[in-house]
Amino acid sequence: MKPRRSKHSTDLDSFLDFPSTKTYLAEVLGVSRSTLCTWENLAFWRIPSFRNAYPKKADGIHDRESPLSPYQAWVLGRVGRLMAQLRRGERVKGYIAKNPNDFSRYRYQQAFQQVNQINKEA
């Protein structure tokens, strides 16, 4: 993997208001598109709610070329943070297997509501 353009790019959760391309999200997170695609592949095969967030084509296959939902962008930011901390894909896979709730839609919604509450109070 190439070094990050910004060392602290995944220190905080990412909350987008719109679907985004992988290229755009990579830019936001300060990583190359190929790095983001590596993270996306990890998430796709290990987090069912991430995989199911993709629309399906007529043949029933997930359309991985479609824009990422805000939930998927949040998951990829978290996967990136784990990669920065754990340094190896196998360790990240193990963490995801042991802590699937850390990547759930419910956890995303909780975190999103907390951010919105803080913004309202500010």
Side-chain angles (χ1 to χ4, degrees):
M1 273 191 289
K2 294 179 183 177
R4 294 168 189 239
R5 286 174 256 160
S6 171
K7 184 178 179 181
H8 303 288
S9 60
T10 56
D11 286 355
L12 302 172
D13 285 337
S14 301
F15 295 100
L16 300 178
D17 294 350
F18 50 88
S20 69
T21 64
K22 290 175 188 164
T23 301
Y24 177 78
L25 184 59
E27 188 175 311
V28 167
L29 295 176
V31 297
S32 69
R33 188 179 189 284
S34 63
T35 296
L36 187 82
C37 288
T38 299
W39 299 350
E40 186 269 343
N41 205 37
L42 268 167
F44 184 83
W45 294 110
R46 283 160 190 82
I47 304 170
S49 56
F50 179 89
R51 180 175 48 252
N52 292 331
Y54 279 111
K56 290 192 177 180
K57 297 178 184 179
D59 60 4
I61 295 174
H62 293 96
D63 182 5
R64 292 177 75 174
E65 296 302 315
S66 67
L68 299 165
S69 71
Y71 162 71
Q72 289 172 309
W74 174 81
V75 168
L76 292 178
R78 293 179 72 97
V79 169
R81 186 176 326 141
L82 283 173
M83 287 298 289
Q85 293 169 352
L86 302 176
R87 299 297 222 197
R88 301 223 184 274
E90 290 303 315
R91 292 179 186 160
V92 173
K93 291 174 190 176
Y95 181 91
I96 292 170
K98 290 178 184 176
N99 303 283
N101 291 333
D102 285 0
F103 305 92
S104 69
R105 282 187 172 274
Y106 177 73
R107 182 64 56 95
Y108 165 73
Q109 290 167 347
Q110 280 183 317
F112 185 74
Q113 288 173 353
Q114 287 176 343
V115 167
N116 281 341
Q117 186 63 35
I118 290 169
N119 287 340
K120 286 179 184 177
E121 293 172 0

